Amino acid sequence: MRFDSIIIGGGVAGLCAGLRLAEAGRKTLIMASGQSALHFSSGSVDLLGGEGDPREALQDFIDSHPDHPYAKVGHDNVLKSLLDLQTHCAAQGLTLVSGERNHHRLTPIGTLKSTWLSPDTCAVVGDTALPDTLLLATLEGFRDFHPALAAANLARQSAFRSCKILTGELRLPQLAAFSRNPHEFRSADIARLCDRHDLIKELASEISRLIIDSGTPCSHVILPACLTLGLVGPRLAELEKRTGCTIREVATMPPSLIGMRLQESLKQRFLALGGTFLTSERVQGAHCEGDRVVGLFSQNGEDILFEADHFVLATGSFFSRGLESRLRGIREPIFGADVLSDPERDAWAGRRLFDHHPFMGFGVKTDEQLRVLRGGTAFSNLYAAGSVLAHYDPIREGSGSGVAVATGWQAAGHILGAL
Ligand SMILES: Cc1cc2nc3c(=O)[nH]c(=O)nc-3n(C[C@H](O)[C@H](O)[C@H](O)COP(=O)(O)OP(=O)(O)OC[C@H]3O[C@@H](n4cnc5c(N)ncnc54)[C@H](O)[C@@H]3O)c2cc1C
């Protein structure tokens, strides 16, 4: 099987590389062994944490972190890559919005997390004033979002000081089937049910009942993200029309439908641009000639070779097995690439959960063009992107998906530039 480019990994980094290559008319294949981190993430895209405008903070950050992936992409290209992401998502009907500075998205436990881009259907605290009253509602029996816990934590935030937070449970008899097995009562199960049966009318009357029962006028409601596996905008609009309330979603505990929708939108866009996406295809190894990768083989055996002119390694971090932690050290399993690590195992993690953990910055080393290094020499046609990369700490910096988007986009740019 021969392609112009092959990307290993179907997360946001691999998809952003694939979108740019497919859009340029290249015959592009993405091979993904399984789910990506987006299935567990909020679906918001962090650029750089902090309260201000991360676009302004970016250049200083790059200057003080010369090894960081953002430094290899460059300030302007990082911003271009995020605009491209917004354009591709918009083409699939998913609107990602930003303001003039970071906004805060609500987490399922009622804390606020600073981020750059969020779907316009998400519950966020931005520049507009908060309402006087807010209803946090969940579905009766659902365990992955607890309005009382979220409300208690939100009430501690200064932004919510003058906002009265109501909580309640929506009762839907259709959900009774799930009560037999709580493991089947996850956001994705509810979404599948809502996709099969139109429950909007029942949901709307339950929201109205909660507001009437509270005895407090309220026209702003937040629900857990579990109403559909597809685009939620039309469904929320219908609920808003029936209730007269503004309705937004909060990501639940994983699986996270908001992240899954972002993944699916990017994948569908990639397919629409002519790309090929293979799922359940774990790349096991590569055939190389000198510094050139010739082809890849998967779990189906070495005699089926996936050949291409260029390759992108976007296999994620430990979470997705793009990096493997062994007793003797950290390794990148497909190419045996050079990995930034610490020989002293005791130095890998901080002592407490919320301490800094050096292993977060471990990953594959590259040259300035994001070409993967092995034995200190760069492969001529293999680039790396996303959380497999060394020298960045998504949690400490608040840069998780931002780095994945920017480096995926940039790796594709280098491939196009090399043609
Ligand atoms: C729980 C969680 C919450 C997060 N929340 C946020 C957030 O709110 N905001 C934010 O900006 N960032 C967040 N992040 C970080 C962000 O999601 C990741 O940095 C980003 O998604 C990484 O994308 P990636 O494409 O590099 O890797 P991944 O998403 O990990 O994708 C790797 C892909 O490679 C595939 N793969 C791995 N090995 C092979 C192989 N051998 N062959 C074929 N395919 C392979 C995997 O199946 C997967 O498809 C979160 C991360 C996690 C884990």
Side-chain angles (χ1 to χ4, degrees), residues 8-14 31-37 40-42 44-46 105 281-283 314-316 319-320 334 386-387 392 400-401 404:
I8 318 167
V12 68
M31 301 171 79
S33 56
Q35 292 173 347
S36 77
F40 304 84
S41 99
S42 65
S44 291
V45 178
D46 303 349
R105 65 173 176 83
E281 200 74 46
R282 173 168 289 280
V283 175
T315 44
F319 187 74
S320 295
I334 300 174
S387 54
Y392 91 105
S401 295

Side-chain angles (χ1 to χ4, degrees), residues 8 18 30 41 81 93 120 129 164 211 229 246 283 377 381:
I8 318 167
I30 294 181
S41 99
S81 70
D120 62 346
K164 180 170 183 181
I211 294 175
L229 291 172
T246 304
V283 175
T377 306
N381 65 341

Side-chain angles (χ1 to χ4, degrees), residues 199-281:
L199 302 178
I200 293 294
K201 206 168 126 205
E202 288 90 335
L203 276 168
S205 63
E206 275 294 289
I207 290 170
S208 302
R209 175 186 66 78
L210 284 183
I211 294 175
I212 292 167
D213 287 357
S214 76
T216 311
C218 176
S219 56
H220 294 273
V221 179
I222 294 177
L223 300 178
C226 56
L227 295 189
T228 176
L229 291 172
L231 291 176
V232 77
R235 217 155 272 194
L236 292 186
E238 175 70 17
L239 265 183
E240 290 187 339
K241 206 165 99 189
R242 286 180 179 269
T243 58
C245 296
T246 304
I247 306 199
R248 294 286 178 270
E249 284 187 317
V250 61
T252 62
M253 294 298 179
S256 161
L257 292 197
I258 306 182
M260 286 162 71
R261 291 180 198 137
L262 176 58
Q263 161 97 26
E264 194 55 23
S265 296
L266 294 175
K267 180 179 164 188
Q268 290 308 324
R269 177 78 177 143
F270 174 67
L271 296 176
L273 290 171
T276 307
F277 194 108
L278 292 181
T279 32
S280 305
E281 200 74 46

Side-chain angles (χ1 to χ4, degrees), residues 140-143 175 178 181-187 189-190:
E140 192 179 43
F142 181 50
R143 297 194 307 175
L175 298 180
F178 292 134
N181 181 357
H183 300 296
E184 286 174 3
F185 200 167
R186 316 306 297 266
S187 53
D189 302 306
I190 302 169

Side-chain angles (χ1 to χ4, degrees), residues 53-118:
D53 183 342
R55 295 168 302 182
E56 280 175 11
L58 187 59
Q59 192 57 55
D60 281 349
F61 180 82
I62 286 174
D63 292 343
S64 55
H65 297 79
D67 291 327
H68 196 277
Y70 278 155
K72 294 179 181 171
V73 178
H75 177 276
D76 293 354
N77 285 340
V78 171
L79 300 187
K80 274 189 206 158
S81 70
L82 291 166
L83 286 175
D84 245 28
L85 177 80
Q86 285 177 280
T87 307
H88 286 304
C89 287
Q92 293 302 126
L94 176 68
T95 309
L96 292 177
V97 288
S98 67
E100 289 304 312
R101 57 192 176 103
N102 274 335
H103 55 269
H104 292 101
R105 65 173 176 83
L106 262 63
T107 71
I109 57 166
T111 53
L112 296 177
K113 187 156 178 309
S114 156
T115 189
W116 177 239
L117 292 174
S118 292

